[in-house]
Amino acid sequence: MSSLFTPLAIRGNEMRNRLWVSPMCQYSAVDGVPNDWHHVHLAQFAAGGAGLVVAEATAVSPEGRISPEDVGLWNDAQLEAWRPVVAAIRARGAVAGVQLGHAGRKASTTSPLTGGRGTVAPADGGWQTVAPSAVAYDRFAEPVALDAEGIEKVVRDFAEAARRAVAAGFEVLELHAAHGYLLHQFLSPLTNLRDDAYGGSFENRVRLLVRVTEAVRAAAPDAAVFVRFSATDAAEGGWDVADTVAAARLVADAGADLIDVSSGGLVPHQRITTGPGYQVEYAATVRRETGLLVSAVGMIDDPALAENVVADGRADAVMSGREWLRDPHFGLRAAAALGADVPWPAQYTRAAR
């Protein structure tokens, strides 16, 4: 019996297995609207055996995009464009998820597909970025600190995007509070220098994330809500694993169902040593300390490693990214390697024998 290929139900949404597709930006949209590329890109993973396919970081507002080429869910044209993509995922047996995010001070940047790395000026199709404090990331443009009205807009934008996501058919909504984007920027004392109700103490710095989680839960009562954290900033004086454990409890009370545990991305001077499964122990700590459902990420590209992470109780599921890009049928290959009896698409059954 394979632990990795046992189902997992969350709020009535049953994932057929625990090998999932991480959200991966494609930088291929126009005006936030997904297109044929996104359709084929995401549907192939469902055909390849994934239990859950999570669409890339999807902006809750135009100014929340990482780049001008990011997808969004801030208007109904985007909602309608997502419908057939979601239907294709579900028709192939996987649960469809989307990661809702706001890039904050790391927004309005050049797409890596163009080979650049920097801020896109307003004259070139970019925009003024926002953040908890007017502190720039690396060589990016300085953001404007959000005022009270701006913070309220962020909460509303996440809720409205959640409503649109559910209307498009998404069953899992992940809130992106990791990798140095806006919600993470509020969490960390390295980027949050505020002296109001959203800065200073841990309770204040986590306030926006808790409010967003509550708003998304209210907007999408039947959806499974995940929160992705960077468990550590990997920089002196930054957010750490103990903070993540404490925040995980708070977002669970606010309506989150699962904690997706990653790391880093906040500051350029982070120090992280990578390797197969290098972030798994962060997930294991959150699971052990809180009793919450967690997913683990980080170079989990070997079926045996993925199986062990779940079988050993270090995480309830694993998410992989690059391995699915290398092999969109990673799920079927992993099942065969682990001797798991799973249904194959009828068109591919000759390869199952």
Side-chain angles (χ1 to χ4, degrees):
M1 293 291 292
S2 166
S3 297
L4 189 65
F5 284 90
T6 57
L8 178 63
I10 305 176
R11 268 184 208 268
N13 303 292
E14 183 170 281
M15 277 64 78
R16 60 188 172 186
N17 61 52
R18 299 161 187 247
L19 183 58
W20 301 345
V21 179
S22 286
M24 294 176 281
C25 289
Q26 298 298 293
Y27 305 102
S28 299
V30 176
D31 296 327
V33 178
N35 52 46
D36 285 348
W37 175 264
H38 302 89
H39 190 133
V40 174
H41 166 69
L42 294 168
Q44 66 180 342
F45 303 134
L52 168 66
V53 178
V54 184
E56 64 196 84
T58 299
V60 300
S61 62
E63 64 274 17
R65 291 171 292 170
I66 300 168
S67 79
E69 293 79 25
D70 279 18
V71 291
L73 265 170
W74 68 81
N75 65 40
D76 289 346
Q78 294 156 357
L79 184 165
E80 294 302 326
W82 277 116
R83 285 188 194 273
V85 180
V86 174
I89 295 169
R90 297 175 65 173
R92 289 158 179 80
V95 169
V98 62
Q99 185 183 71
L100 303 178
H102 188 304
R105 70 177 189 164
K106 294 176 78 173
S108 191
T109 59
T110 50
S111 161
L113 303 188
T114 66
R117 179 172 171 77
T119 298
V120 179
D124 298 322
W127 55 90
Q128 174 62 60
T129 58
V130 296
S133 304
V135 179
Y137 176 82
D138 200 12
R139 291 170 291 176
F140 293 178
E142 183 177 296
V144 171
L146 283 164
D147 59 14
E149 182 180 349
I151 288 175
E152 294 303 316
K153 181 180 184 299
V154 168
V155 176
R156 291 195 304 272
D157 287 343
F158 270 94
E160 289 301 316
R163 291 189 185 95
R164 290 191 177 94
V166 170
F170 286 110
E171 301 151 288
V172 171
L173 311 180
E174 176 166 276
L175 309 182
H176 200 353
H179 301 165
Y181 298 121
L182 183 67
L183 296 178
H184 185 186
Q185 292 162 26
F186 269 86
L187 295 177
S188 177
L190 296 179
T191 45
N192 185 342
L193 309 182
R194 303 175 73 93
D195 58 5
D196 62 2
Y198 292 90
S201 68
F202 169 85
E203 290 75 17
N204 284 356
R205 286 182 281 111
V206 78
R207 191 182 307 277
L208 178 59
L209 175 57
V210 170
R211 288 194 61 202
V212 165
T213 306
E214 291 171 340
V216 167
R217 170 50 65 212
D222 298 322
V225 174
F226 297 1
V227 177
R228 173 168 276 195
F229 284 99
S230 282
T232 174
D233 291 339
E236 185 176 353
W239 184 264
D240 61 22
V241 179
D243 293 325
T244 302
V245 168
R249 294 191 179 106
L250 293 175
V251 296
D253 289 342
D257 300 297
L258 180 143
I259 308 301
D260 181 14
V261 187
S262 186
S263 67
L266 184 80
V267 291
H269 60 276
Q270 67 183 21
R271 293 290 181 267
I272 296 176
T273 300
T274 63
Y278 70 100
Q279 297 173 132
V280 169
E281 289 312 309
Y282 297 139
T285 298
V286 174
R287 189 176 192 269
R288 182 179 62 253
E289 296 295 325
T290 67
L292 299 172
L293 294 174
V294 305
S295 59
V297 302
M299 297 178 67
I300 305 175
D301 52 13
D302 177 75
L305 173 58
E307 172 71 20
N308 289 339
V309 168
V310 175
D312 293 348
R314 288 179 286 169
D316 298 280
V318 298
M319 286 196 185
S320 297
R322 289 175 175 83
E323 190 62 19
W324 285 102
L325 297 182
R326 288 186 282 263
D327 177 8
H329 300 104
F330 177 41
L332 297 177
R333 175 165 59 83
L338 297 171
D341 184 14
V342 301
W344 283 55
Q347 298 89 339
Y348 293 173
T349 51
R350 74 191 73 176
R353 296 190 291 269

